[in-house]
């Protein structure tokens, strides 16, 4: 009896530890995102996101660029948890007020439109953080870029991190070494820096983000010598005395709204707009140079790499399982209220100048 009891206990312990190991394994694997997460609960989610963006593009050719930037600025701060979308409230210090975001991030109204369409089709199912991942892929493919299977199943966070946004997001002025360190801090590498910078193949930037190159670069009293002189004169006209906050121009001067590899060919003619763009090729000895060169000569290689790096960026510390929540309103944590009844919408009064028309 004693032997049989011991044997049963031992067997039981074995089964329990086996279950612990198995559930640990499955625990990790169920915490992973996958492409079919909504196939049972919101099978049309991708088409709904895409068609809302198609509509927005009719009046705003920049919107796709603005939406992918939201995903980037979300993922780099406390992971891809929709933290960027939260407005100021009693409990939230909004990341929208961080230096890299203020007067610059835009498209929040379209995120809300997507959320409304999804709540109508499948209430309470799709997270705001997944909306940003889906909107990024739709925006890129609608602009002529690659498609990829978006991994899904993120849940929305309950907090924002204003100081994290100020310290974690890269600045165009800080040099490739420091920018690479910010990517490394979230599990991305030098290849990802170059590949994802290729998102600057569409969208706009304000004078304040490149005027450091125009008149007194880095305290030299002269413009940035790596800036194409033709582009330099247009930009100096566009941004006199360093320019106005409401003036923006195209990041890609050759094909402003298309997703292609011209960002990289522009760098070869010294036509990168931001200091951080041109440095990828012009910083002597930088490990980024051969990557730029191969993407400039082979768009397929860029497109394949872009899909992989986007999936990698979208995997930064997602909340899964029962962590976080599915927000009803992307601007507000469920059950809380916002102090901002009317959302500040930056960019509505801005002027875009196409340099080729100057
Ligand atoms: C490598 C470091 C990066 C730096 C320093 C940087 C910096 C900037 C700056 C300064 C602007 C202009 C913002 C404004 O004037 O309002 C901008 C715009 C943009 N960025 Fe980046 N960025 C970086 C990486 C990325 C990544 C990883 C993505 C996405 C994958 C991205 C996508 C965009 C897009 C699409 C725009 C245009 C947005 C619009 O037109 O609304 N950037 N970026
Ligand atoms: C996708 O992830 C969810 C949640 O972790 C899980 O329930 C589902 O089985 C996964 N689907 C596949 C095909 O792995
Ligand atoms: C999926 O959504 C698109 C865009 O809203 C719509 O045109 C289409 O009819 C929907 N399909 C189904 C099966 O509901
Ligand atoms: C944003 O723009 C407003 C109005 O032009 C200005 O008052 C504010 O200082 C700007 N904020 C930042 C962080 O640049
Ligand atoms: C905010 O972000 C910073 C920088 O990533 C991080 O060190 C800090 O732990 C975050 N704070 C919270 C409360 O998540
Ligand atoms: C790069 O980062 C270091 C350490 O954080 C800092 O001291 C330095 O000022 C940064 N360089 C630039 C150009 O921002
Ligand atoms: C960056 O990571 C990818 C895998 O995610 C890898 O293929 C690539 O070689 C890495 N690049 C560098 C410079 O380490
Ligand atoms: C323009 O900005 C640069 C630094 O980016 C600064 O050195 C220069 O004094 C500014 N010029 C004016 C007219 O504000
Ligand atoms: C800016 O100037 C500093 C100090 O003179 C120098 O170390 C640095 O390399 C310069 N940066 C660029 C991008 O030229
Ligand atoms: C400057 O840009 C133009 C195209 O805009 C190009 O033809 C020219 O070769 C570039 N100059 C240099 C020095 O890269
Ligand atoms: C471009 O890159 C793709 C993907 O890596 C490769 O299959 C193709 O052979 C390359 N094309 C050329 C002309 O090198």
């Amino acid at each position: 009896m004693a032997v049989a009891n011991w044997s049963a206990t031992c067997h039981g312990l074995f089964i329990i530890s086996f279950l612990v190991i198995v559930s640990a394994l499955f625990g990790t694997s169920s915490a992973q995102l996958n492409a079919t997460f909504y196939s049972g609960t919101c099978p049309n989610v991708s088409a709904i996101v895409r068609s809302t963006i198609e509509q927005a593009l009719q009046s705003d050719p920049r919107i796709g660029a603005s939406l992918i930037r939201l995903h980037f600025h979300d993922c780099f701060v406390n992971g891809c948890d929709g933290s960027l979308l939260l407005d100021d409230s009693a409990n939230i210090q909004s990341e929208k007020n961080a230096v890299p975001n203020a007067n610059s991030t835009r498209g929040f109204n379209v995120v809300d439109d997507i959320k409304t369409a999804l709540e109508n089709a499948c209430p309470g199912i799709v997270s705001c953080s997944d909306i940003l991942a889906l909107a990024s892929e739709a925006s890129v493919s609608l602009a002529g870029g690659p498609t990829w299977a978006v991994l899904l199943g993120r849940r929305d966070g309950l907090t924002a991190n204003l100081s994290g946004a100020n310290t974690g997001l890269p600045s165009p002025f800080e040099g490739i070494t420091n920018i690479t360190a910010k990517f490394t801090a979230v599990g991305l590498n030098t290849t990802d820096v170059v590949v994802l910078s290729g998102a600057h193949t569409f969208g706009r930037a304000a004078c304040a983000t490149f005027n450091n190159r125009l008149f007194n670069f880095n305290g030299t009293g002269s413009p940035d010598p790596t800036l194409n002189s033709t582009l330099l004169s247009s930009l100096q006209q566009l941004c006199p005395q360093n320019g106005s906050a409401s003036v923006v121009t195209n990041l890609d001067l050759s094909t402003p709204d298309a997703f292609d590899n011209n960002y990289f060919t522009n760098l070869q003619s010294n036509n990168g707009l931001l200091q951080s763009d041109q440095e990828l090729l012009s910083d002597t000895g930088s490990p980024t140079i051969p990557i730029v060169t191969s993407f400039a000569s082979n768009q397929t290689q860029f497109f394949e790499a872009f899909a992989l790096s986007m999936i990698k960026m979208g995997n930064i510390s997602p909340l899964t399982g029962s962590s976080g929540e599915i927000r009803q309103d992307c601007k507000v944590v469920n059950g809380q209220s916002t102090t901002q009844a009317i959302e500040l919408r930056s960019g509505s009064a801005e002027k875009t100048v196409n340099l080729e028309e100057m």
Side-chain angles (χ1 to χ4, degrees):
M1 280 298 277
V3 170
N5 270 345
W6 181 85
S7 162
T9 309
C10 179
H11 200 175
L13 279 176
F14 174 76
I15 287 170
I16 287 165
S17 48
F18 178 77
L19 286 176
V20 166
I21 290 164
V22 166
S23 74
L25 286 173
F26 278 78
T28 355
S29 75
S30 77
Q32 285 186 0
L33 308 178
N34 63 53
T36 53
F37 186 82
Y38 296 115
S39 60
T41 51
C42 198
N44 207 19
V45 59
S46 301
I48 293 169
V49 172
R50 191 181 171 97
S51 85
T52 311
I53 295 172
E54 275 180 302
Q55 265 167 42
L57 279 167
Q58 313 240 309
S59 61
D60 181 3
R62 179 186 177 187
I63 193 63
S66 304
L67 289 168
I68 189 176
R69 186 163 184 248
L70 294 184
H71 185 43
F72 160 46
H73 282 203
D74 177 30
C75 291
F76 267 56
V77 182
N78 286 22
C80 310
D81 65 345
S83 56
L84 169 63
L85 303 175
L86 293 171
D87 279 345
D88 267 334
S89 74
N91 309 300
I92 298 293
Q93 280 191 291
S94 179
E95 292 170 20
K96 294 176 187 178
N97 298 321
V99 172
N101 293 329
N103 297 333
S104 168
T105 46
R106 60 196 293 282
F108 297 110
N109 51 339
V110 175
V111 173
D112 290 343
D113 291 347
I114 295 170
K115 181 65 173 172
T116 301
L118 288 173
E119 288 300 300
N120 287 335
C122 10
I125 298 294
V126 182
S127 66
C128 297
S129 41
D130 277 348
I131 288 175
L132 294 182
L134 287 161
S136 299
E137 193 274 343
S139 297
V140 167
S141 65
L142 286 168
T147 62
W148 61 92
V150 182
L151 300 187
L152 300 166
R154 298 169 193 78
R155 291 167 64 84
D156 298 321
L158 309 177
T159 56
N161 190 344
L162 175 60
S163 64
N166 276 316
T167 56
L169 292 168
S171 142
F173 316 125
E174 67 184 328
I176 293 303
T177 308
N178 283 24
I179 288 174
T180 304
K182 288 182 175 179
F183 276 64
T184 307
V186 294
L188 303 177
N189 65 22
T190 303
T191 307
D192 300 308
V193 172
V194 179
V195 172
L196 294 173
S197 292
H200 292 173
T201 180
F202 63 174
R204 320 279 181 261
C207 294
T209 65
F210 56 81
N211 65 19
N212 66 310
R213 308 181 71 195
L214 305 183
F215 305 104
N216 178 19
F217 179 63
N218 199 21
T220 59
S222 308
D224 184 343
T226 67
L227 180 57
N228 187 300
S229 57
T230 309
L231 178 58
L232 171 66
S233 355
S234 327
L235 295 175
Q236 284 176 331
Q237 285 176 55
L238 182 70
C239 313
Q241 272 84 48
N242 284 342
S244 133
S246 59
V247 175
V248 299
T249 192
N250 300 319
L251 280 157
D252 173 353
L253 89 174
S254 52
T255 49
D257 295 324
F259 197 100
D260 53 26
N261 70 336
N262 285 356
Y263 169 80
F264 298 102
T265 55
N266 290 339
L267 299 183
Q268 293 180 316
S269 52
N270 297 299
N271 281 315
L273 183 62
L274 308 176
Q275 178 190 333
S276 54
D277 292 327
Q278 193 59 51
E279 280 182 349
L280 296 174
L281 185 63
S282 301
D283 246 15
T284 311
S286 172
T288 55
I289 295 170
I291 312 173
V292 170
T293 307
S294 66
F295 291 159
S297 70
N298 188 333
Q299 178 167 276
T300 307
Q301 217 173 76
F302 167 51
F303 278 10
E304 288 176 357
F306 192 78
L308 289 176
S309 289
M310 284 299 293
I311 289 168
K312 209 170 155 185
M313 185 175 85
N315 272 327
I316 299 172
S317 311
L319 298 171
T320 58
S322 57
S323 307
E325 63 180 12
I326 304 301
R327 248 177 246 156
Q328 287 165 342
D329 175 343
C330 293
K331 304 185 292 304
V332 194
V333 171
N334 292 346
Q336 296 185 359
S337 62
T338 173
T339 52
Q340 270 186 301
I342 300 163
E343 194 189 331
L344 277 175
R345 299 244 164 90
S346 65
S348 52
E350 80 203 357
K351 183 172 143 222
T352 302
V353 179
N354 186 335
L355 292 172
E356 308 212 309
E357 288 160 11
M358 278 187 66

